[in-house]
Amino acid sequence: MRHYDYLVIGSGIAGASIACELADPASVLVVEREASHGYHTTGRSAAMFIESYGNAWIRRLTGASRAFFDAPPDGFCDHPLLRRRGCLNIATRDQLPALDALVADIVAEGSGMREISGEAARAMVPILRPDVIAAVFEPDSSDIDTHGLHASYLCMARSRGVDLRLNAGVERIEHRGTGWRIALAGGDAIEARVIVNAAGAWSDAIAELAGVRRVGLEPRRRTVILIDPPAGLAIETWPTVIDVDEQFYFKPESGRLLASPADETPSAPVDAAPEELDIAICVDRIEAATTLSISHVRRSWAGLRTFAPDRTPVIGYDPDMADFFWFAGQGGYGMQTAPAAARLGAALALKREIPSDLGERGLGPAPFSPSRWR
């Protein structure tokens, strides 16, 4: 029976990134229940890098990931991972307090964002209605090459000796005092000193299988549609547009507009699919905020964003099971936070000092610890 230092469950961006960071000093196996890596949330990401997005801890992780995106390690990839797009958070008159609150939150962190008028916002995105009277523009927000990022983490992990297995769902987990014995689909079994739970929407189920208490992770469905742009307008240089109350967003995507109602419908951990009502809500909200008349939805899909109760990722050893490590609850921000979160997670899992650049941003074990609810 093969023995590993770390068994990482899940090969989405969470599992791929932390496995890559763990592999230098340790033997690592990544197991994935699906037939392809990143089948669920990772493969359905809206691919945005927005430093003002998410709560304070998400924003710190995103900011700490910027240097990696701008200059990936040697051998990681041979092309840029970010393409600058910019981001507009827009507000109607009733939403001005929310816009002011966003500015207050972000300015303290040194963001390059600036407040602009509704007229200036419409100069960037001419389909916005006059109801938009103010906005915040974040010029450094970018599109992420999500496939390139995920594939590069997997490739570098392999080069560092990580074993990757597909169609390897976890069927049984047995704690053996100094480690774990894990039965996989197909009858195979392995042993590991530490389990790293990076199973996304299935993370609480994996914990339960291992005899570890759940931390209260909740998968929530997010719907995305692809629609035609307005005729005669060049949309490629438009920024991402986000309603300041997060009722919708849209952005250019391969010659069309990708849009979402920013829904967060509680869901069981499943292969998520869009529902007609959510598609209709998305169309209605986009039409209310813009001059678009949407007669046809080219494509729609859905993914699960999994949140902890406080919407901050869960990263650290379980307080009741010392060799069970949580790396879950990225909440849909996993792509933009992956570099910093993986480095933080690996340092904690390996029981090393926190990298200094993370520590300078206040990124340490306490805010992410699974013990914060116990």
Side-chain angles (χ1 to χ4, degrees):
M1 185 178 295
R2 185 81 184 268
H3 179 87
Y4 294 87
D5 294 319
Y6 294 88
L7 169 69
V8 178
I9 301 176
S11 69
I13 190 61
S17 59
I18 195 169
C20 185
E21 296 293 344
L22 288 170
D24 189 15
S27 60
V28 182
L29 169 66
V30 178
V31 295
E32 169 59 54
R33 59 181 286 178
E34 304 295 347
S36 60
H37 300 295
Y39 174 77
H40 291 284
T41 301
T42 294
R44 308 175 196 192
S45 170
M48 300 185 294
F49 182 94
I50 302 174
E51 291 188 57
S52 63
Y53 203 36
N55 69 21
W57 294 112
I58 293 294
R59 294 197 298 266
R60 292 188 190 190
L61 286 170
T62 303
S65 297
R66 182 91 208 198
F68 182 102
F69 279 109
D70 287 341
D74 289 344
F76 187 78
C77 63
D78 58 3
H79 62 279
L81 291 170
L82 296 182
R83 180 183 179 186
R84 182 176 292 189
R85 175 163 302 285
C87 176
L88 277 176
N89 280 273
I90 61 171
T92 62
R93 188 171 301 281
D94 291 343
Q95 293 176 308
L96 289 179
L99 195 71
D100 291 341
L102 174 66
V103 172
D105 279 347
I106 304 303
V107 164
E109 297 174 15
S111 169
M113 60 181 278
R114 65 178 186 269
E115 295 181 77
I116 64 173
S117 67
E119 290 77 8
R122 277 184 289 280
M124 295 182 187
V125 184
I127 62 173
L128 293 175
R129 291 189 183 275
D131 292 353
V132 174
I133 66 166
V136 165
F137 181 57
E138 191 174 341
D140 291 333
S141 294
S142 302
D143 293 339
I144 304 173
D145 177 1
T146 55
H147 174 76
L149 178 67
H150 184 226
S152 295
Y153 267 122
L154 290 170
C155 185
M156 182 163 278
R158 285 191 193 95
S159 73
R160 292 177 174 179
V162 174
D163 289 340
L164 301 166
R165 297 194 196 180
L166 295 170
N167 299 306
V170 174
E171 296 189 340
R172 189 171 65 257
I173 302 175
E174 181 183 355
H175 192 245
R176 296 218 156 189
T178 58
W180 304 89
R181 177 171 289 180
I182 301 95
L184 303 174
D188 198 6
I190 59 100
E191 291 181 341
R193 180 170 57 85
V194 173
I195 286 176
V196 177
N197 185 10
W202 285 265
S203 293
D204 262 348
I206 288 294
E208 206 165 65
L209 199 60
V212 175
R213 281 195 288 171
R214 293 171 172 253
V215 295
L217 296 168
E218 184 177 41
R220 298 188 176 191
R221 189 177 66 248
R222 170 62 55 92
T223 304
V224 179
I225 67 173
L226 207 58
I227 57 178
D228 289 329
L233 287 181
I235 67 168
E236 186 51 38
T237 59
W238 287 4
T240 297
V241 176
I242 303 178
D243 173 73
V244 72
D245 288 327
E246 288 195 55
Q247 293 297 298
F248 64 85
Y249 63 78
F250 63 87
K251 56 172 275 193
E253 179 72 23
S254 303
R256 292 194 167 94
L257 288 175
L258 178 153
S260 172
D263 49 329
E264 292 187 356
T265 307
S267 171
V270 296
D271 186 356
E275 295 192 359
E276 291 299 323
L277 176 60
D278 294 323
I279 294 171
I281 289 171
C282 184
V283 168
D284 182 67
R285 289 177 181 177
I286 298 299
E287 289 185 335
T290 72
T291 57
L292 287 177
S293 179
I294 301 169
S295 59
H296 179 60
V297 173
R298 291 284 179 178
R299 184 182 165 214
S300 63
W301 65 94
L304 297 180
R305 306 162 81 235
T306 301
F307 293 93
D310 59 2
R311 301 180 76 86
T312 295
V314 185
I315 305 174
Y317 281 104
D318 189 89
D320 302 323
M321 190 70 77
D323 43 12
F324 187 92
F325 189 88
W326 291 87
F327 196 64
Q330 283 82 1
Y333 310 102
M335 285 290 179
Q336 66 178 38
T337 62
R343 292 173 61 223
L344 174 65
L348 295 175
L350 294 166
K351 300 183 179 178
R352 293 179 169 180
E353 288 189 10
I354 304 298
S356 59
D357 63 309
L358 303 185
E360 289 167 2
R361 292 177 178 265
L363 294 169
F368 306 97
S369 173
S371 65
R372 63 190 190 262
W373 297 289
R374 298 183 189 172

